[in-house]
Amino acid sequence: MAVAGREGKPGTRWPRAFRRGPGGGRRRGWLLTGLGVVTAGLLALHRFVPNAPGRLGSLLESFLFWLGPFTVLLLLCAAVRRARAALLALLLPAAAWTLSFGPLLLPAPPPGARELTVLQHNVADDNADPEGTARALADSGADLIALQELVDPALAVYRQALAPRYPYHSVQGTVGLWSRHPLTGARALDIRPRDITEPWRRALRAEVRTPYGEVAAYVVHLPSVRLGPGGLGSARRDESAALLGGILAAEASARVVLAGDLNGTVDDRGLAPLTSRLAAPERGLALSYPAALPLARIDQVLARGAHVPAVRTLPATGSDHLPVLVRVSLHGPTRP
């Protein structure tokens, strides 16, 4: 009768997966090495990953940041296995990730002379605590507040709570802009995808008369994306981004600030019509969605005629998004 014993004794019945036969450690080392090379390639060459079928390129770029923690996990496995070749190979994705995302982790520079602070927040149309959300927004101290998913009766709550500190505001459809500085020329923008026939106003433009000169301010809410069996469903978002990119290309103002729920990260090629024309934050990760366990920053503040020194998240509100507070440093002379 065979009995269980230590490895190597007659009668041992260890499952094959647990046997350390000749070369088993080497095989695991080569697997880690291969994963390291593939991860490095995805980080460095993600623009070459095709977007069809299923918009795989956009899907990869939406979660590109997380290849860094994945690389750390592989490094730990390689260290435990003492797989030297794998450790060396994994330096490649570590270096690629550091080049791409490392600068975001550096300390933000001190505030400049011509800075605005912009708060971007999708307040959620099912927010159970609009009063608490409005108080948090008012206490932020931002110069501009851009909001999405503004619906009745919560809209009246935001108007009332923000009015004492933000006397200027415009709401177009379900997006709104509140400002400490005068607003002029506020109007809705048409970025509706072709297949949407019902009323749909989710973008506005206004001119802000700041102490440093006029700024064209945009507030937008691009269509949602869905992940399903067919891949990333982002066709509507990409179409709206292209329409908005055309509007920005014709924008006459030298200084532009765009704030919105873009339903995409700044690495996602679907937002290239915007990110190719506007500067993204230089410091800060500020993962904003979902609020309970943030995986990506899809709430963005981008700028032209300015740079964006830093972004950070604020504490959770009643929304499924976290608010993001962004510093925008304007270029050009101050107004006399």
Side-chain angles (χ1 to χ4, degrees), residues 149 202 221-226 233-237 261 263:
E149 296 198 11
R202 290 170 52 162
H221 186 189
L222 297 186
S224 299
V225 300
R226 295 288 184 268
S234 63
R236 283 180 169 178
R237 184 208 60 186
D261 175 0
N263 275 303

Side-chain angles (χ1 to χ4, degrees), residues 139-203:
D139 291 341
S140 69
D143 294 292
L144 302 175
I145 296 178
L147 304 181
Q148 297 81 40
E149 296 198 11
L150 294 168
V151 295
D152 291 324
L155 174 56
V157 175
Y158 294 113
R159 280 181 163 143
Q160 182 177 0
L162 295 175
R165 300 185 191 182
Y166 297 89
Y168 310 100
H169 85 280
S170 175
V171 175
Q172 304 289 335
T174 58
V175 300
L177 175 65
W178 275 258
S179 174
R180 293 182 180 275
H181 311 298
L183 299 179
T184 60
R187 69 179 191 273
L189 301 173
D190 185 8
I191 59 168
R192 178 174 53 181
R194 290 186 299 271
D195 64 343
I196 296 180
T197 57
E198 64 269 18
W200 196 91
R201 289 195 299 167
R202 290 170 52 162

Side-chain angles (χ1 to χ4, degrees), residues 116 144 168-170 177 179 181-187 204-210 213-219 251-257 335:
L116 297 175
L144 302 175
Y168 310 100
H169 85 280
S170 175
L177 175 65
S179 174
H181 311 298
L183 299 179
T184 60
R187 69 179 191 273
L204 70 80
R205 179 197 182 276
E207 294 177 2
V208 186
R209 294 180 179 173
T210 79
E214 288 194 353
V215 175
Y218 288 73
V219 181
E251 172 61 60
S253 178
R255 296 191 289 192
V256 175
V257 172
R335 174 170 293 189

Side-chain angles (χ1 to χ4, degrees), residues 55-169:
R55 283 181 163 79
L56 293 178
S58 280
L59 180 60
L60 168 65
E61 289 157 351
S62 297
F63 299 100
L64 202 62
F65 166 81
W66 292 101
L67 291 181
F70 178 66
T71 298
V72 172
L73 178 62
L74 294 181
L75 281 166
L76 291 174
C77 291
V80 169
R81 297 294 181 185
R82 298 181 182 179
R84 297 175 186 174
L87 285 170
L88 290 174
L90 287 165
L91 293 178
L92 294 174
W97 187 92
T98 301
L99 287 173
S100 296
F101 295 99
L104 298 177
L105 305 179
L106 297 175
R114 293 188 293 270
E115 277 201 358
L116 297 175
T117 52
V118 182
L119 191 154
Q120 152 59 30
H121 192 31
N122 180 329
V123 295
D125 56 11
D126 59 352
N127 191 322
D129 185 23
E131 292 183 3
T133 300
R135 285 195 301 271
L137 299 175
D139 291 341
S140 69
D143 294 292
L144 302 175
I145 296 178
L147 304 181
Q148 297 81 40
E149 296 198 11
L150 294 168
V151 295
D152 291 324
L155 174 56
V157 175
Y158 294 113
R159 280 181 163 143
Q160 182 177 0
L162 295 175
R165 300 185 191 182
Y166 297 89
Y168 310 100
H169 85 280

